[in-house]
């Protein structure tokens, strides 16, 4: 069974808006590129899928946009080529190497987890909350940014039951950010 990992940047005060942390540097872009390369497939909700596609989909011209620096291109290439599953009841179709996931969320994700491979990766805010509530996340990876945002969406806001976690790995960045990986202790 391949595990499902939830990965996200978060500020010290729990904000998980994509613009609230530090601007990505070369070290963090290498870190996230490696995370994309390790995943067999990416699992997104509609909002995250559309946001990621607008930023990281390779243009039809084959030329990356001017805002993208050399450090961003390996990440863009990794996410562009990754298999994607999109959980949505409102989209009528997807492309960008993606497939719609409909119906019962638990059954659909359990089916994806049963497929052979190294693991699935999920990002975003709303879908991971639903997956956490269902006990489907096998690993949580938070890249904690040394910033206090003071506002914005917070990590897993609205979680109904406490999830006990054990630290399994940590990585410190030169920027002061710290990547923390946890696994549920399964004693809920």
């Amino acid at each position: 069974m391949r595990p499902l990992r939830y990965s996200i940047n978060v500020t010290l005060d729990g904000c998980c808006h994509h613009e609230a942390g530090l601007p990505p540097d070369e070290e963090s872009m290498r870190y996230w590129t490696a995370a994309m390369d390790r995943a067999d497939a990416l699992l997104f909700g509609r909002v995250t899928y559309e946001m990621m596609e607008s930023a990281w989909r390779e243009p039809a011209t084959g030329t990356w946009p001017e805002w993208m620096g050399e450090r961003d291109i390996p990440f863009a290439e990794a996410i562009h080529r990754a298999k994607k599953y999109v959980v949505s009841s409102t989209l009528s179709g997807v492309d960008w190497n993606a497939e719609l996931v409909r119906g019962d969320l638990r059954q659909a994700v359990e089916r994806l987890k049963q497929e052979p491979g190294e693991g699935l990766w999920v990002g975003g805010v709303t879908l991971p909350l639903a997956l956490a509530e269902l006990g489907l996340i096998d690993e949580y990876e938070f890249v904690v940014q040394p910033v206090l945002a003071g506002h914005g969406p917070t990590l897993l806001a609205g979680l109904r039951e406490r999830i006990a976690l054990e630290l399994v790995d940590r990585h410190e960045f030169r920027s002061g950010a710290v990547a923390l990986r946890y696994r549920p202790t399964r004693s809920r």
Side-chain angles (χ1 to χ4, degrees):
M1 186 157 118
R2 59 184 178 177
L4 176 61
R5 174 185 287 168
Y6 173 38
S7 298
I8 193 163
N9 283 300
V10 62
T11 64
L12 283 170
D13 56 348
C15 179
C16 52
H17 189 274
H18 69 280
E19 295 176 348
L22 295 175
D25 59 13
E26 189 173 329
E27 183 182 23
S28 65
M29 290 306 292
R30 277 194 314 270
Y31 184 85
W32 286 115
T33 300
M36 292 297 106
D37 283 338
R38 280 192 310 272
D40 298 316
L42 313 179
L43 183 62
F44 293 136
R46 180 192 57 81
V47 172
T48 302
Y49 169 76
E50 290 176 341
M51 179 183 70
M52 298 300 258
E53 182 184 29
S54 71
W56 302 109
R57 184 178 187 147
E58 183 175 358
T61 63
T63 303
W64 294 104
E66 287 185 25
W67 66 263
M68 201 176 285
E70 286 298 316
R71 69 172 189 224
D72 302 316
I73 293 173
F75 178 82
E77 291 171 341
I79 197 167
H80 178 73
R81 70 178 165 259
K83 173 69 179 167
K84 298 160 199 77
Y85 294 98
V86 183
V87 176
S88 174
S89 61
T90 59
L91 290 174
S92 58
V94 292
D95 58 5
W96 195 40
N97 197 26
E99 181 180 317
L100 274 175
V101 174
R102 298 199 189 271
D104 182 85
L105 181 62
R106 178 187 298 277
Q107 289 177 0
V109 173
E110 285 177 344
R111 180 181 46 79
L112 291 173
K113 289 175 69 170
Q114 290 298 325
E115 293 178 10
E118 298 301 314
L120 301 166
W121 183 94
V122 65
V125 178
T126 306
L127 178 59
L129 174 61
L131 296 169
E133 292 281 4
L134 293 170
L136 293 171
I137 298 176
D138 301 295
E139 193 170 280
Y140 294 82
E141 178 179 41
F142 306 123
V143 178
V144 182
Q145 303 289 331
V147 173
L148 298 171
H151 65 319
T154 56
L155 185 65
L156 298 170
L159 190 65
R160 290 186 295 239
E161 288 188 40
R162 182 176 84 109
I163 299 173
L165 304 172
E166 64 178 325
L167 181 67
V168 294
D169 193 28
R170 65 179 281 133
H171 173 81
E172 294 183 25
F173 295 87
R174 289 185 302 274
S175 66
V178 180
L180 302 168
R181 283 191 350 189
Y182 295 92
R183 289 195 185 115
T185 60
R186 301 292 181 201
S187 59
R188 290 177 62 170

